[in-house]
Amino acid sequence: MAVPVVFFAVFFAYPVAAIVARGMKVDGVWQFGRIGEVLAQPDVRQVLWFTTWQALASTGLTLLIALPGAYVIARFDFPGRQLLRAVVTVPFVLPTVVVGTAFMAVVGRGGLLDDLWGVRLDTTVWAILLAHVFFNYAVVVRTVGGLWSQLDPRQEEAARMLGASRFAAWRTITLPALAPAVSAAALMVFLFTFTSFGVVQILGGPTFSTLEVEIYRQTSEIFDLSTAAVLTMIQFAAVGAILALHAWTVRRREAALRLVDAAVTARRPRGAGQWALLASVVATVAVLLLLPLGVLVERSLGAAGLGYYRALTRDDGGVFLVAPIEAVGNSLRYALAATVIAVVIGGLAAAALTRRDAGRLVRGFDALLMLPLGVSAVTVGFGFLIALDEPPLDLRASWILVPLAQALVGVPFVVRTMLPVLRAVDGRLREAAAVLGASPWRAWREVDLPMVRRALLIAAGFAFAVSLGEFGATVFIARPDNPTLPVAVARLLGRPGELNYGQAMALSTILMIVCAVALLLLERLRTDRSGEF
């Protein structure tokens, strides 16, 4: 636990505390009375209410739409399965500003629905909810599907042989086993939608605003650090309470599961019902996920053909100090470094949290690991600039600052992806290895690692994808001569002109392609190594 604790203390708790103290202190005195003053404002209470209920609605809608997809990808073996698994993950790595822009092109004024049927959703909350489902579909499919694919189907088949109906067998056997993974996925979706920024800022307009959007407005537009600090503390407290409740409920549902090779559980669809389910999932992915991505590709081409892509290789001396295309290499290097950091930190934390004799302090750290997903990225970014500016932590000029910020968001995904599988490993296997003379390290390497290798690869893929698309904190700390893809897209979108907009769409398309290639390589690696189980 030492390494994860030090990492989060130095690169998360310290920067966040520094920025909150900057806003809450006046002449060295804490102004706690500002909390009541801010909460008494009607517009703040309205923001709190909208933030909460839209997060709950987005989470429920995402689970409803994505769980069938998780089942299909985990249990069905069909041509294009690996491609489908990669496709559903691509939207998750897109910058939220790009997601908002893509949905505006579909549901907004002059968008696809407006042109075809005269329907506009940009002035309703449905545009925000559907954009959140688009963004978080992969969270449910990857998190729940990773465990679902390794559950032994013979347990459910035994219940069927004893007279249980298909639904009763699923409800009493499979659903309880999936509960930790479903809970983890719901938690991550809720935290992402609770702190939603780019999607709400673009699609919500002046009507809808979340805490994250309000923190950004108070910080960057009104320059009221005091109100922004209060809102950050409110968001922090709400997320902490949710995580504490989640940790308590998951702990009560822990159980050892029988895990098998995923290649054994996947079968070709049988019967009209299963083929209809597969077809409905493919149709959902096509309409909900591929349609907005297709809009991005169409906008990147436009009437200029490949002109926007060629313009990326030139330095205009305005938006960037280098050619925009260099953001691709920067993003890949940063994402690889962030993935290594996230896997090491998250893997150590997950291994420690699986110990049955862990004390309350260690179990409480389970909830704290999720806090970076629930704290304003604006706060973290400003905190890095304020806190990490003096020796021995003067990292403002170091390239490692960006991967560190990206890894903060990647670590929770590593932990949440690996933890359900690690906790499902029967502890008696480790005890048997110890009786036969294996050291704790060898027992973990010989017993745990072969069973969690798939989860580890999924976690690494998630960390890489999250790092590619991280925007909120990176936009404040990325150097002008080393922009990442999301930062480059945001800067281009922030400038008027058709050329800048086209280049932003072209960079977004490149980001989609890079992510898709990386995920396909990951899927091939997982398939090639599945025989080692």
Side-chain angles (χ1 to χ4, degrees):
M1 289 298 297
V3 175
V5 167
V6 171
F7 178 82
F8 273 84
V10 174
F11 298 112
F12 176 68
Y14 176 49
V16 171
I19 190 64
V20 171
R22 180 70 63 93
M24 291 293 293
K25 279 186 176 181
V26 177
D27 297 329
V29 179
W30 286 88
Q31 305 294 318
F32 291 108
R34 281 289 297 157
I35 299 178
E37 296 175 5
V38 172
L39 288 176
Q41 301 175 13
D43 55 339
V44 171
R45 292 199 299 270
Q46 182 178 355
V47 167
L48 285 172
W49 168 243
F50 175 75
T51 301
T52 303
W53 83 258
Q54 67 82 24
L56 290 171
S58 297
T59 302
L61 190 61
T62 302
L63 290 175
L64 180 65
I65 296 177
L67 281 176
Y71 173 77
V72 165
I73 293 178
R75 291 298 198 186
F76 290 173
D77 184 16
F78 53 91
R81 180 188 179 200
Q82 296 181 24
L83 177 62
L84 181 63
R85 196 199 312 263
V87 166
V88 301
T89 309
V90 171
F92 183 73
V93 306
L94 293 178
T96 54
V97 292
V98 176
V99 174
T101 303
F103 266 80
M104 183 64 72
V106 175
V107 304
R109 182 177 182 180
L112 182 63
L113 295 183
D114 192 15
D115 291 340
L116 294 178
W117 298 294
V119 177
R120 290 180 54 189
L121 299 177
D122 57 320
T123 57
T124 70
V125 74
W126 280 106
I128 296 175
L129 298 181
L130 291 176
H132 284 161
V133 175
F134 169 90
F135 191 75
N136 294 290
Y137 189 94
V139 176
V140 177
V141 171
R142 288 276 178 166
T143 305
V144 179
L147 180 59
W148 209 334
S149 64
Q150 291 184 266
L151 292 180
D152 192 345
R154 291 174 296 183
Q155 300 179 64
E156 189 172 321
E157 293 170 0
R160 295 286 309 279
M161 293 181 63
L162 293 174
S165 64
R166 185 181 298 274
F167 176 75
W170 179 83
R171 180 176 54 83
T172 58
I173 302 297
T174 304
L175 183 58
L178 289 175
V182 174
S183 178
L187 174 68
M188 287 188 285
V189 173
F190 182 85
L191 290 180
F192 271 114
T193 53
F194 189 82
T195 58
S196 182
F197 173 60
V199 169
V200 179
Q201 187 180 37
I202 294 176
L203 297 178
T207 307
F208 303 109
S209 178
T210 58
L211 276 172
E212 186 84 359
V213 174
E214 189 64 20
I215 290 172
Y216 177 82
R217 191 175 72 90
Q218 295 289 339
T219 303
S220 302
E221 299 178 7
I222 304 179
F223 304 106
D224 188 353
L225 288 182
S226 177
T227 300
V230 172
L231 295 177
T232 298
M233 294 173 65
I234 294 172
Q235 183 171 302
F236 191 87
V239 170
I242 295 167
L243 293 177
L245 177 63
H246 170 267
W248 179 74
T249 54
V250 169
R251 194 71 182 177
R252 290 169 61 90
R253 289 197 296 257
E254 284 182 3
L257 306 176
R258 177 177 175 81
L259 303 181
V260 297
D261 182 5
V264 177
T265 64
R267 302 174 181 176
R268 290 188 64 84
R270 292 176 292 185
Q274 292 188 355
W275 281 107
L277 177 61
L278 174 59
S280 66
V281 168
V282 172
T284 299
V285 171
V287 173
L288 183 63
L289 304 186
L290 293 183
L291 182 60
L293 299 182
V295 172
L296 287 182
V297 176
E298 186 273 332
R299 294 294 176 92
S300 72
L301 296 173
L306 297 177
Y308 294 141
Y309 290 89
R310 287 192 291 268
L312 295 176
T313 62
R314 300 191 297 267
D315 178 16
D316 62 0
V319 182
F320 306 103
L321 299 179
V322 295
I325 195 65
E326 294 192 17
V328 177
N330 296 334
S331 289
L332 291 175
R333 288 190 293 270
Y334 289 146
L336 287 173
T339 300
V340 172
I341 297 172
V343 169
V344 171
I345 301 298
L348 290 174
L353 291 169
T354 56
R355 291 183 59 91
R356 299 290 177 177
D357 57 348
R360 290 185 177 181
L361 182 62
V362 175
R363 292 197 299 267
F365 192 62
D366 183 11
L368 294 178
L369 288 169
M370 299 297 294
L371 283 179
L373 298 183
V375 173
S376 168
V378 175
T379 302
V380 174
F382 273 126
F384 265 52
L385 295 178
I386 292 175
L388 305 180
D389 61 344
E390 296 180 358
L393 292 176
D394 188 1
L395 302 177
R396 289 175 302 176
S398 174
W399 67 272
I400 197 64
L401 197 62
V402 173
L404 286 173
Q406 295 173 343
L408 279 174
V409 184
V411 168
F413 282 94
V414 174
V415 175
R416 295 265 67 88
T417 303
M418 294 185 62
L419 206 53
V421 179
L422 281 171
R423 283 175 170 167
V425 177
D426 194 339
R428 292 173 296 183
L429 297 176
R430 303 188 192 98
E431 295 171 0
V435 170
L436 294 175
S439 64
W441 162 248
R442 184 177 181 184
W444 189 88
R445 179 167 53 88
E446 300 290 343
V447 176
D448 293 66
L449 184 59
M451 302 185 71
V452 303
R453 184 183 292 115
R454 285 178 55 84
L456 183 62
L457 291 173
I458 293 174
F462 252 136
F464 183 80
V466 169
S467 300
L468 277 178
E470 205 287 322
F471 170 72
T474 306
V475 69
F476 296 102
I477 56 180
R479 296 173 56 180
D481 57 341
N482 286 294
T484 63
L485 276 170
V487 172
V489 170
R491 290 178 180 173
L492 287 168
L493 286 175
R495 296 189 69 188
E498 181 181 350
L499 179 61
N500 289 318
Y501 181 81
Q503 289 184 87
M505 296 300 100
L507 277 180
S508 300
T509 303
I510 292 174
L511 178 56
M512 287 190 294
I513 295 173
V514 170
C515 176
V517 171
L519 293 172
L520 285 173
L521 291 176
L522 177 62
E523 293 300 324
R524 181 172 297 276
L525 176 64
R526 291 171 58 189
T527 303
D528 292 343
R529 301 185 65 172
S530 62
E532 298 181 12
F533 281 82

